[in-house]
Amino acid sequence: MLLSGNDNHVAGIGIQAFSSSNYGYEGILSDRVAILPEVLNMNGYQTYMVGKWHIGGDPYYRGFDKTFALLPGAFSHYDNSKPIIGYPDSAFSENGKKRLWDVGKYSSDFYTDKLIDFLDTNNKDPFFAYASFTSPHWPLQVDEKYSNKYKGKYDEGYDVLKMNRFNRLKDFNIISKESVFPIFKTEYSSWDKLNDYEKSIESRKMEIYAGMIENLDFNVGRIIDFLKENNQYDNTVILFMSDNGAAGEDFYYNNIYGDYIQENFNYDYEDMGKPNSFISLGIGWAEAITSPFRLYKGFTTAGGMKSPLIISGVNDNKISLSNEFLSLLDIAPSIYDLLNIKYPRFLNKKELYSPIGESIIPYLKSKSKNIHKDDYVFAFEHSGNSFLKKGEWKIINTIQPFNVSNFELYNIKNDISEITNKKNINRKIYNDLIDEWNNYSKSRRLIFPTPYVDNLK
């Protein structure tokens, strides 16, 4: 959706971990769409990519001039130890050729080295660079010089962190000062029920997670420093974003993936953060990070779907905060609009589906008060997880297997935590959104029952 500006089914990835011959469920980025590097490359831009790909095939053959890519969804941050048994042993590709990781080099450091090398070879042509860092994705690993900066910072636990962050959001006017602290019925052990060793394990998880983010911040700074040193920063638009809410999975004890991980990694406190260790956040920390929004990665509630977006290089870099609704669909059309580039009708003699997102540039340049109209409809479905938003209302379906009757209704203007289901109170609104959902489902050729559900929980 990010690269194409189109729905994930139109782009071929109805379910990320599933491949078939069915429309929308091919499991590989479709040639029905042209993506950002292809379109920009056609218009004279050098195109570079480093990091995670995870949408089938190889990015080198989708418009990039130079690549160093992780083809599946995750890997060790230091070596060639794959975290999922089904992943290929040689999961990396450089300019279309499979290669192994340089053992000992850390993911964010190495991806940044590669990207700066790519940029350094540019002979001042305009460029598009896609840096898809894997950190802080599980397994949680980083050098102690980063993680040890946070020693003891999380010893009070996830329950206290959740409350502290909620109050800080109020202090910074990111949420209303009248907001009520949300109580979710999520199943995980409260902090005071853990023993001292369990608390030390949990605290160390977040120390490492924070260290991974600090290392990422350092490497983003290296890219910005390079641009400034080469007099390119003032003529470069930068978009920085995350991909989803915090991850609540605990793969070490997962029913499907756990046996393999336990055979190849460990969970010992002394090794946490090292290449031989495999830990992930778990539900307690994930909920503390996404609160006051409900749930976390893997769900179509706000906690699973909302992500930050920072944009630099548009509107004279005026610093402002906005909660205007936009989605990944709007990124590619915005870039084409900003660069005055027209999306092609054909690519390789194949007629293309045009992006369905809208440009956010008029809004950023204060030429429009809104990005979308008040009755704008946005819908999303992946492996049965689904939601549809129209104005201040949203229907959410989180129950497997998918059944349209399981949609719940929330007013996300007054209930940002999505706690009070209004389905039986606002029946007319609910029915209207169900009609919109049925239209979306038909137009995207959704298949139910869902062909495949990847149980990550």
Side-chain angles (χ1 to χ4, degrees), residues 58 108 172 205 212 293 372 409 425 453:
D58 192 305
S108 298
F172 285 97
K205 287 181 182 180
M212 295 174 79
F293 304 117
H372 299 289
L409 175 69
I425 301 173
V453 176

Side-chain angles (χ1 to χ4, degrees), residues 2 4-5 36 40 237 239 309 311 314 326-341 355-365 371-372:
L2 170 66
S4 69
L36 275 165
L40 295 181
V237 174
L239 292 90
L309 168 65
I311 302 176
V314 183
L326 72 153
S327 77
L328 292 177
L329 296 176
D330 301 320
I331 301 300
S334 300
I335 293 174
Y336 300 144
D337 181 21
L338 184 67
L339 303 178
N340 197 27
I341 287 175
I356 59 174
E358 298 181 50
S359 172
I360 67 174
I361 301 304
Y363 173 77
L364 293 180
K365 293 191 172 183
I371 295 174
H372 299 289

Side-chain angles (χ1 to χ4, degrees), residues 368-430:
S368 173
K369 292 183 177 180
N370 303 100
I371 295 174
H372 299 289
K373 295 179 180 178
D374 290 342
D375 61 350
Y376 175 72
V377 174
F378 176 82
F380 174 79
E381 188 272 343
H382 178 271
S383 193
N385 298 296
S386 48
F387 83 93
L388 182 142
K389 175 191 177 299
K390 183 177 183 180
E392 62 187 57
W393 294 94
K394 176 181 177 183
I395 51 173
I396 306 169
N397 197 328
T398 61
I399 299 174
Q400 297 285 3
F402 175 88
N403 189 308
V404 70
S405 66
N406 289 328
F407 270 112
E408 300 171 342
L409 175 69
Y410 297 93
N411 184 302
I412 54 177
K413 179 180 179 181
N414 302 320
D415 180 16
I416 62 171
S417 300
E418 299 168 353
I419 291 177
T420 306
N421 182 6
K422 302 276 190 177
K423 177 177 180 177
N424 295 323
I425 301 173
N426 298 88
R427 204 69 194 181
K428 185 177 184 304
I429 294 173
Y430 176 79

Side-chain angles (χ1 to χ4, degrees), residues 34-287:
I35 60 173
L36 275 165
E38 292 171 322
V39 177
L40 295 181
N41 200 259
M42 292 165 57
N43 284 271
Y45 282 72
Q46 292 292 300
T47 52
Y48 311 117
M49 185 267 178
V50 294
K52 177 176 173 178
W53 183 240
H54 203 201
I55 43 179
D58 192 305
Y60 186 67
Y61 302 106
R62 291 304 304 250
F64 287 104
D65 292 307
K66 294 182 179 181
T67 62
F68 187 94
L70 169 64
L71 300 181
F75 234 73
S76 168
H77 292 280
Y78 285 103
D79 54 34
N80 295 287
S81 300
K82 59 183 181 179
I84 302 294
I85 190 171
Y87 284 172
D89 292 325
S90 179
F92 299 93
S93 171
E94 186 166 19
N95 299 330
K97 296 180 180 179
K98 294 289 182 69
R99 62 159 290 178
L100 292 173
W101 187 259
D102 291 347
V103 175
K105 294 188 177 180
Y106 185 67
S107 63
S108 298
D109 298 337
F110 189 61
Y111 291 143
T112 303
D113 290 343
K114 280 292 180 182
L115 184 59
I116 288 176
D117 286 346
F118 293 163
L119 294 173
D120 202 30
T121 64
N122 192 329
N123 59 1
K124 304 305 179 185
D125 286 338
F127 69 85
F128 168 74
Y130 177 47
S132 181
F133 292 99
T134 48
S135 181
H137 197 287
W138 49 257
L140 304 186
Q141 299 169 338
V142 75
D143 292 354
E144 288 186 349
K145 70 177 183 179
Y146 291 103
S147 61
N148 284 354
K149 292 182 180 181
Y150 297 90
K151 278 280 189 181
K153 183 175 177 61
Y154 301 99
D155 286 355
E156 291 183 303
Y158 32 71
D159 298 327
V160 171
L161 180 70
K162 186 191 302 184
M163 177 62 78
N164 289 344
R165 290 192 170 183
F166 178 77
N167 290 329
R168 282 174 61 81
L169 290 172
K170 284 186 175 183
D171 292 342
F172 285 97
N173 295 314
I174 294 175
I175 63 175
S176 168
K177 293 189 184 298
E178 284 72 46
S179 297
V180 177
F181 184 72
I183 304 297
F184 301 118
K185 298 177 181 179
T186 318
E187 293 185 7
Y188 61 91
S189 296
S190 63
W191 189 260
D192 59 8
K193 291 183 179 180
L194 302 179
N195 62 40
D196 288 345
Y197 182 72
E198 290 171 333
K199 288 179 179 178
S200 69
I201 289 283
E202 290 297 323
S203 295
R204 190 62 183 146
K205 287 181 182 180
M206 274 298 287
E207 292 167 4
I208 296 165
Y209 189 74
M212 295 174 79
I213 293 173
E214 175 147 333
N215 171 269
L216 175 61
D217 181 69
F218 168 74
N219 280 295
V220 171
R222 289 176 59 203
I223 297 170
I224 291 174
D225 287 345
F226 176 87
L227 295 174
K228 289 180 176 178
E229 290 164 4
N230 288 271
N231 299 315
Q232 294 176 301
Y233 177 77
D234 291 335
N235 195 35
T236 302
V237 174
I238 301 173
L239 292 90
F240 179 88
M241 69 188 77
S242 180
D243 58 347
N244 43 246
E249 311 105 329
D250 191 342
F251 274 79
Y252 197 82
Y253 296 105
N254 182 271
N255 292 331
I256 296 175
Y257 305 108
D259 289 346
Y260 168 81
I261 293 172
Q262 291 172 29
E263 290 173 6
N264 292 275
F265 299 88
N266 74 54
Y267 208 84
D268 299 338
Y269 179 86
E270 294 76 14
D271 289 332
M272 290 175 71
K274 297 178 182 178
N276 61 327
S277 171
F278 192 113
I279 52 172
S280 39
L281 277 179
I283 295 174
W285 292 120
E287 189 170 279

Side-chain angles (χ1 to χ4, degrees), residues 1 4-15 22-26 32-33 327 329 353-357 376-382 386-388 436-448 451:
M1 292 171 70
S4 69
N6 218 315
D7 184 82
N8 57 304
H9 298 84
V10 175
I13 318 285
I15 301 175
N22 294 315
Y23 173 97
Y25 297 85
E26 292 90 346
R32 290 186 290 268
V33 296
S327 77
L329 296 176
Y353 285 65
S354 296
I356 59 174
Y376 175 72
V377 174
F378 176 82
F380 174 79
E381 188 272 343
H382 178 271
S386 48
F387 83 93
L388 182 142
E436 296 283 7
W437 169 260
N438 289 332
N439 292 336
Y440 167 79
S441 180
K442 183 178 179 180
S443 68
R444 300 295 181 262
R445 307 186 203 178
L446 303 189
I447 296 176
F448 296 112

